[in-house]
């Protein structure tokens, strides 16, 4: 893997996988501020064709992929009506891999939520792109496979999650060049401090957690995120998945990572060194900061983010996460110890369980019950190929759906 910066005088083409989501829209906002540096080559979304049409009007991409065929047809019809039929529209999962691998876009923002983002992200890796990784499931579901593909390529991987981007910025420069393969302890690092806000229920009495609603779970105190990620933040599964992702991104052992509650979300993560120093990356909670960092690395560009106001900032509070309040975090750490089968199954189960909670089929506290049962079932499964990943992902989803059905019927034994 190489770490180079394209100093071309021409704007670099960017492919945004998941352009209608929160990360995708923030990426477009950063690009909007730097038309001399970046141009939108291709965009993708699942089915939000009206928003995609607006993005096409402004950024005029060459190609667009709508995973949903009906949405693709609607978009194609709308583009024709607006005399934008030169924009090619494709549909389906294979089309995602095609645009991710095309040479016209040396930068790929991998921002598709969930396991469906794995294959297009790998396509970008195999095409030696600069990959801005916002899809944590790519590493959670297929860690070693993904890292092996990265090491065999000339791709450049830069993390977009605010926590992992913060860690990356605080690591030694020579370690950044190949962070997925080097040993942090040989570069003076003692451990990684992964911060998390604790979500909207950090102080809610434990006995009330079972009654919280989807809208309450989606009301994050600091970040503006999609509903699925917001629920993951409330359960701290999001932090658990980030724990697994950090292991692969920075070649860590489980004992090298410590989760720290920091409700203000101004310190995005820290690196503790062997000499006692702790380096922290902080700023306003705005995803445009890590996006701009990764787009321009190793340079810096304006992200449109307000300056951090030290004179009016809140106090910095820290604490240890409570396992009773956040059982999903403990499950993710356990999965990280158990191996890839457990990690892949846990991620699949969680996607199904969170969807069921958002659909008001199960309680908030039931998410962890479903996740635990599915993870334990697949804990001993070995995963060595993408076919293995797909099979475990599929089987775990079916098992999660079965457990949820039993919950709805009242026949699941906890």
């Amino acid at each position: 893997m190489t770490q180079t910066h394209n100093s071309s005088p021409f704007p670099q083409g960017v492919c945004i996988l998941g352009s209608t989501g929160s990360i995708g829209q923030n990426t477009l906002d950063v690009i909007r501020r730097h038309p001399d540096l970046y141009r939108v080559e291709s965009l993708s979304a699942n089915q939000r064709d009206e928003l995609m049409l607006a993005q096409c009007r402004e950024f005029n991409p060459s190609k667009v992929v709508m995973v949903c065929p009906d949405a693709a047809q609607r978009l194609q019809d709308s583009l024709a009506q607006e005399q934008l039929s030169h924009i090619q529209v494709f549909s389906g999962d294979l089309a995602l891999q095609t645009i991710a691998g095309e040479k016209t876009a040396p930068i790929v923002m991998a921002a598709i939520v969930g396991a469906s983002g794995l294959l297009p992200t790998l396509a970008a890796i195999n095409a030696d792109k600069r990959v801005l990784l916002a899809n944590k499931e790519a590493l959670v579901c297929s860690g070693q496979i993904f890292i092996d593909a990265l090491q065999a390529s000339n791709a450049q991987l830069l993390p977009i999650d605010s926590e992992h981007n913060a860690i990356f910025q605080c690591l030694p420069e020579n370690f950044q060049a190949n962070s997925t393969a080097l040993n942090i302890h040989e570069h003076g690092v003692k451990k990684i401090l992964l911060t998390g806000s604790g979500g909207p229920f950090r102080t809610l009495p434990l006995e009330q957690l079972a009654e919280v609603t989807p809208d309450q779970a989606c009301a994050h105190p600091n970040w503006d995120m999609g509903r699925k990620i917001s629920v993951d933040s409330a359960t701290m599964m999001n932090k658990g998945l980030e724990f697994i992702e950090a292991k692969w991104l920075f070649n860590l052992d489980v004992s090298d990572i410590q989760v720290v509650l920091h409700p203000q979300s101004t310190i995005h993560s820290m690196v503790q060194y062997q000499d006692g120093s702790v380096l922290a990356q902080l700023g306003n909670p705005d995803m445009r900061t890590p996006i701009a960092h990764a787009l321009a690395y190793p340079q810096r560009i304006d992200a449109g983010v307000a300056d951090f106001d030290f004179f009016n900032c809140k106090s910095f509070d820290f604490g240890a996460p409570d396992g009773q309040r956040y059982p999903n975090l403990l499950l993710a750490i356990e999965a990280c110890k158990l191996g890839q089968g457990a990690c892949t199954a846990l991620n699949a189960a969680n996607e199904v369980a969170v969807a069921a909670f958002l659909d008001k089929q199960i309680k908030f506290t039931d998410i962890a019950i479903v996740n635990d049962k599915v993870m334990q079932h697949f804990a001993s499964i070995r995963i060595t190929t993408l076919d293995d990943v797909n099979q475990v992902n599929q089987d775990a989803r079916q098992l999660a759906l079965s457990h949820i059905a039993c919950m709805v019927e009242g026949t699941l034994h906890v």
Side-chain angles (χ1 to χ4, degrees):
M1 182 181 69
T2 59
Q3 295 268 2
T4 58
H5 181 68
N6 189 334
S7 57
S8 168
F10 304 104
Q12 297 181 77
V14 182
C15 166
I16 304 177
L17 302 172
S19 67
T20 60
S22 175
I23 296 294
Q25 292 183 63
N26 277 308
T27 303
L28 287 171
D29 186 68
V30 175
I31 291 174
R32 181 183 292 120
R33 299 169 188 275
H34 301 280
D36 56 325
L37 297 177
Y38 310 104
R39 59 177 174 79
V40 175
E41 175 64 24
S42 52
L43 299 172
S44 86
N46 184 18
Q47 57 184 8
R48 299 177 69 183
D49 56 287
E50 291 185 3
L51 178 52
M52 179 61 80
L53 177 61
Q55 293 177 351
C56 287
R57 288 194 197 106
E58 179 177 1
F59 294 98
N60 194 32
S62 298
K63 296 180 180 179
V64 171
V65 173
M66 303 297 295
V67 176
C68 172
D70 291 341
Q73 187 60 59
R74 291 194 301 268
L75 177 64
Q76 194 164 28
D77 293 343
S78 299
L79 290 171
Q81 291 176 7
E82 300 199 16
Q83 298 183 337
L84 292 172
S85 54
H86 62 279
I87 300 176
Q88 296 178 278
V89 180
F90 303 91
S91 66
D93 292 323
L94 286 177
L96 291 175
Q97 298 175 52
T98 299
I99 63 169
E102 289 183 326
K103 293 182 179 180
T104 49
I107 301 174
V108 174
M109 168 58 78
I112 297 175
V113 175
S116 58
L118 171 59
L119 290 179
T121 304
L122 278 173
I125 292 291
N126 293 332
D128 299 333
K129 302 295 189 73
R130 168 180 287 209
V131 179
L132 281 52
L133 187 65
N135 172 277
K136 60 176 59 66
E137 290 82 4
L139 282 168
V140 171
C141 293
S142 61
Q144 192 63 59
I145 297 170
F146 190 95
I147 294 302
D148 287 346
L150 179 67
Q151 292 298 328
S153 74
N154 288 315
Q156 180 184 31
L157 187 68
L158 294 167
I160 295 300
D161 269 348
S162 60
E163 294 82 1
H164 300 108
N165 184 267
I167 292 166
F168 183 88
Q169 293 193 51
C170 293
L171 288 169
E173 184 177 351
N174 56 353
F175 186 87
Q176 293 175 356
N178 197 4
S179 64
T180 60
L182 300 179
N183 186 309
I184 60 165
H185 302 299
E186 294 176 0
H187 288 74
V189 175
K190 187 172 184 180
K191 62 182 174 181
I192 301 299
L193 301 171
L194 187 66
T195 61
S197 70
F201 309 133
R202 183 176 55 86
T203 60
L204 188 72
L206 290 174
E207 62 272 16
Q208 296 181 25
L209 284 175
E211 306 307 321
V212 302
T213 67
D215 285 344
Q216 289 173 322
C218 290
H220 194 282
N222 302 324
W223 295 94
D224 180 16
M225 305 182 292
R227 288 175 70 80
K228 192 268 181 184
I229 298 177
S230 294
V231 174
D232 282 348
S233 178
T235 66
M236 283 199 82
M237 175 58 83
N238 199 43
K239 202 58 50 184
L241 297 178
E242 289 171 7
F243 189 103
I244 300 170
E245 187 182 9
K247 163 188 163 57
W248 294 110
L249 279 172
F250 308 115
N251 193 29
L252 304 172
D253 292 328
V254 171
S255 59
D256 295 328
I257 312 170
Q258 182 178 356
V259 177
V260 179
L261 287 188
H262 172 53
Q264 290 81 19
S265 293
T266 47
I267 294 178
H268 300 135
S269 274
M270 298 170 279
V271 174
Q272 185 165 352
Y273 283 80
Q274 294 167 3
D275 63 4
S277 301
V278 178
L279 299 188
Q281 189 270 342
L282 66 159
N284 292 318
D286 191 316
M287 286 306 299
R288 291 176 298 176
T289 294
I291 290 168
H293 171 265
L295 272 173
Y297 178 81
Q299 277 77 41
R300 300 274 181 169
I301 59 174
D302 175 29
V305 178
D307 291 343
F308 187 77
D309 186 353
F310 282 93
F311 302 112
N312 291 300
C313 70
K314 302 173 183 176
S315 60
F316 291 164
D317 297 320
F318 304 97
D322 177 3
Q324 284 188 288
R325 184 177 300 278
Y326 304 114
N328 282 286
L329 173 61
L330 298 186
L331 287 176
I333 295 173
E334 182 182 357
C336 199
K337 297 175 182 177
L338 289 172
Q340 192 60 67
C343 293
T344 303
L346 178 63
N347 179 74
N350 184 65
E351 288 188 14
V352 173
V354 169
F357 166 68
L358 288 172
D359 199 36
K360 300 182 180 180
Q361 296 180 54
I362 62 174
K363 295 180 179 181
F364 181 76
T365 48
D366 289 337
I367 296 173
I369 296 172
V370 173
N371 289 344
D372 188 14
K373 285 185 171 293
V374 175
M375 183 192 78
Q376 298 298 343
H377 183 85
F378 292 92
S380 61
I381 298 294
R382 289 187 71 248
I383 288 181
T384 58
T385 68
L386 286 178
D387 286 342
D388 295 338
V389 172
N390 292 333
Q391 190 64 56
V392 170
N393 180 57
Q394 180 180 335
D395 292 347
R397 289 172 185 275
Q398 288 302 317
L399 185 58
L401 287 170
S402 176
H403 286 320
I404 289 167
C406 291
M407 278 183 167
V408 173
E409 295 169 0
T411 59
L412 181 69
H413 299 291
V414 180

